[in-house]
């Protein structure tokens, strides 16, 4: 029976009259400007009521797509608690509103084992809508191998690499269909790229996932900002081996090159539009003005005469003495140590680990290392 369609049984068949929902699906909200976590999740499948015989045409909505599906109520009850509850309470034909008509049709074909009708490729958007229906109906273990095939094909386009709505869809898809490896990658990317609170966009993403992703992002950003603040504090207090002039030059340079919001208290900095990737890149790109001046002097000295070269050499020696002769210790007196410490903190980040048992939706708070190079 696993490879055959469900046989027709007139006594078991009912008509599901389905209309397309007019609600936007997972509308994008930029977390840097959003004032909340996004819209509350809406049911992927809503029962509008029972339809009496001979009045199915009353369900037609001229403004929306309406379609009737002949289904086995026994089969639906076997695969989904949602339909099981309805089959035991109210007999007859039902009218439903679904998030997407095509996604629902694909799901019904799989449930009824009409596998020859099921596509081997679907768009990321369609995959997310199917995932939303599967999550709501709790029928994931009856999806056979189709989700794996769809996910592998959609993964190839690299949509999970970019910041934005597609990345949220991937978090949802990988969690619903229990793809632990991809779930770790996409949750890590959200932590790295999000400038603000991560929200579900109205999808049925588990609240523990939302909470853990935001906590991990905020914790790492706070640690990065704290490292930066400690570096500045040591320079201001003269607790380095640099001379006073060197410390003044570095302090002025870092305040000039980095945004003001990086110097807010760590919890506030984590709540702004700062992202882990942006902070890391900005620190790695810090320029030491003393070394730029030193390099310029070295280049100009090559074109000077032998007599002026001697004078230039003595001037350079005087400048080094004035700055405490600290150019030889790049980590202690410069930005190299700061960049190394912050980069080390980022490489310690881990993607969420998805825990699966009997294909039930459950998560654990443990973390598993996801290679930074996978970004």
């Amino acid at each position: 029976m696993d490879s055959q369609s469900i046989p027709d049984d007139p006594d078991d068949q009912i008509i599901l009259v389905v209309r397309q929902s007019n609600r936007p699906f997972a509308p994008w909200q930029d977390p840097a400007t959003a004032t909340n976590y996004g819209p509350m999740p809406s049911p992927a499948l809503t029962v509008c009521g029972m339809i009496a015989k001979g009045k199915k045409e009353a369900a037609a909505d001229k403004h929306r797509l309406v379609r009737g599906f002949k289904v086995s109520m026994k089969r639906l009850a076997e695969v989904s608690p949602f339909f099981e509850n309805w089959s035991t309470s109210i007999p007859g034909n039902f009218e439903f509103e679904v998030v997407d008509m095509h996604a629902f049709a694909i799901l019904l074909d799989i449930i009824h084992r009409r596998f020859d009708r099921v596509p081997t490729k679907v768009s990321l958007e369609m995959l997310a809508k199917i995932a939303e229906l599967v999550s709501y109906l709790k029928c994931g273990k009856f999806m056979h191998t189709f989700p794996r095939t769809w996910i592998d094909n959609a993964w190839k386009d690299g949509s999970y690499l970019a910041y934005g709505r597609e990345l949220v869809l991937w978090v949802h898809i990988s969690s619903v269909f229990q793809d632990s490896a991809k779930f770790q990658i996409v949750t890590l990317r959200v932590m790295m790229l999000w400038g603000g609170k991560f929200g579900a966009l109205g999808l049925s993403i588990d609240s523990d996932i939302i909470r853990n992703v935001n906590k991990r992002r905020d914790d790492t950003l706070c640690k990065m900002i704290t490292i930066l603040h400690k570096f500045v504090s040591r320079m201001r207090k003269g607790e380095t081996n640099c001379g006073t002039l060197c410390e003044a030059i570095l302090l002025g340079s870092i305040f000039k090159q980095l945004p003001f919001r990086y110097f807010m208290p760590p919890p506030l900095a984590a709540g702004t539009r700062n992202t882990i990737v942006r902070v890391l890149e900005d620190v790695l790109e810090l320029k030491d003005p003393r070394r730029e001046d030193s390099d310029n002097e070295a280049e100009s000295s090559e074109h000077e005469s032998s007599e002026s070269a001697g004078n230039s050499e003595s001037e350079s020696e005087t400048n080094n003495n004035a700055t405490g002769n600290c150019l030889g210790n790049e980590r202690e007196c410069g930005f190299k140590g700061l960049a190394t410490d912050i980069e080390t903190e980022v490489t310690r980040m881990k993607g969420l680990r998805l825990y699966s048992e009997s294909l039930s939706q459950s998560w654990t708070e443990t973390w598993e290392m996801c290679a930074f190079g996978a970004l």
Side-chain angles (χ1 to χ4, degrees):
M1 285 293 296
D2 286 343
S3 60
Q4 299 176 358
S5 63
I6 302 298
D8 291 336
D9 182 354
D11 297 331
D12 179 45
Q13 290 179 357
I14 65 169
I15 300 296
L16 296 183
V17 176
V18 180
R19 61 185 180 188
Q20 178 82 37
S21 171
N22 58 6
R23 298 188 305 270
F25 178 73
W28 170 245
Q29 280 190 319
D30 190 336
T33 57
T35 57
N36 52 47
Y37 287 87
M40 295 297 293
S42 300
L45 185 69
T46 305
V47 179
C48 301
M50 188 176 69
I51 305 170
K53 282 188 176 181
K55 296 185 178 181
K56 301 183 185 62
E57 64 276 7
D61 188 332
K62 294 181 180 180
H63 303 288
R64 281 187 279 176
L65 178 64
V66 179
R67 180 179 172 186
F69 293 92
K70 182 184 293 186
V71 299
S72 165
M73 199 60 197
K74 180 180 178 181
R75 180 59 179 170
L76 292 179
E78 287 175 353
V79 303
S80 171
F82 175 89
F83 285 111
E84 182 181 16
N85 294 336
W86 275 95
S87 67
T88 56
S89 59
I90 304 176
N93 299 313
F94 301 110
E95 179 186 355
F96 293 88
E97 182 178 275
V98 295
V99 64
D100 186 88
M101 188 79 71
H102 188 200
F104 188 61
I106 292 174
L107 185 62
L108 288 179
D109 283 336
I110 295 176
I111 290 174
H112 289 80
R113 299 171 186 163
R114 298 188 287 259
F115 298 150
D116 57 321
R117 302 183 186 179
V118 181
T120 56
K121 289 184 179 181
V122 295
S123 67
L124 179 64
E125 187 83 3
M126 182 59 62
L127 182 52
K129 291 176 178 178
I130 294 173
E132 187 70 359
L133 283 166
V134 169
S135 175
Y136 188 73
L137 297 177
K138 294 180 173 58
C139 58
K141 64 182 179 179
F142 296 96
M143 294 297 291
H144 300 270
T145 61
F146 291 107
R148 170 65 61 185
T149 302
W150 294 333
I151 290 173
D152 289 345
N153 286 329
W155 190 260
K156 295 175 184 177
D157 67 7
S159 56
Y160 65 94
L161 294 171
Y163 162 81
R165 179 175 176 271
E166 287 76 11
L167 192 51
V168 183
L169 298 185
W170 272 115
V171 172
H172 180 49
I173 292 165
S174 59
S175 63
V176 170
F177 294 124
Q178 302 284 291
D179 193 323
S180 181
K182 291 180 175 59
F183 181 74
Q184 290 173 31
I185 293 174
V186 295
T187 52
L188 180 56
R189 290 199 64 78
V190 169
M191 297 173 203
M192 296 288 294
L193 299 175
W194 241 242
K197 295 300 182 183
F198 173 63
L201 303 185
L203 299 170
S204 57
I205 300 177
D206 192 274
S207 60
D208 283 345
I209 295 177
I210 302 294
R211 177 174 56 84
N212 287 332
V213 165
N214 283 316
K215 183 178 185 302
R216 186 64 175 177
R217 171 201 172 268
D218 291 351
D219 288 350
T220 301
L221 260 178
C222 282
K223 290 176 182 178
M224 296 169 71
I225 296 298
T226 299
I227 291 172
L228 174 62
H229 289 188
K230 287 182 177 179
F231 174 85
V232 171
S233 178
R234 291 179 69 238
M235 285 288 173
R236 290 184 62 189
K237 295 177 180 179
E239 297 176 351
T240 69
N241 291 331
C242 291
T244 302
L245 180 56
C246 264
E247 290 171 341
I249 293 173
L250 290 173
L251 278 174
S253 178
I254 200 170
F255 281 119
K256 185 175 181 179
Q257 295 183 65
L258 296 181
F260 171 76
R261 62 181 185 273
Y262 289 6
F263 302 100
M264 298 169 64
L268 292 178
T272 64
R273 62 181 182 275
N274 294 335
T275 70
I276 291 174
V277 166
R278 184 71 265 171
V279 174
L280 176 62
E281 290 177 347
D282 285 347
V283 171
L284 291 176
E285 292 172 0
L286 282 173
K287 304 297 183 183
D288 188 335
R290 304 164 306 155
R291 303 192 183 282
E292 289 183 340
D293 292 343
S294 178
D295 292 341
N296 291 336
E297 289 178 5
E299 290 177 3
S300 63
S301 66
E302 294 179 359
H303 302 286
E304 293 178 353
S305 63
S306 58
E307 293 181 0
S308 60
N311 295 332
S312 178
E313 182 178 348
S314 94
E315 289 176 2
S316 178
E317 184 177 352
T318 301
N319 289 337
N320 283 342
N321 290 334
T323 59
N325 196 26
C326 55
L327 293 180
N329 189 345
E330 294 184 26
R331 177 175 177 84
E332 181 65 24
C333 186
F335 298 133
K336 185 175 181 180
L338 171 65
T340 300
D341 292 343
I342 287 185
E343 188 172 22
T344 299
E345 192 62 48
V346 174
T347 58
R348 290 174 181 166
M349 290 190 67
K350 304 170 185 179
L352 286 177
R353 183 184 176 190
L354 187 62
Y355 178 72
S356 169
E357 183 176 356
S358 300
L359 291 178
S360 61
Q361 296 284 339
S362 58
W363 290 268
T364 181
E365 298 221 11
T366 58
W367 305 88
E368 182 165 319
M369 176 61 96
C370 184
F372 182 63
L375 292 172

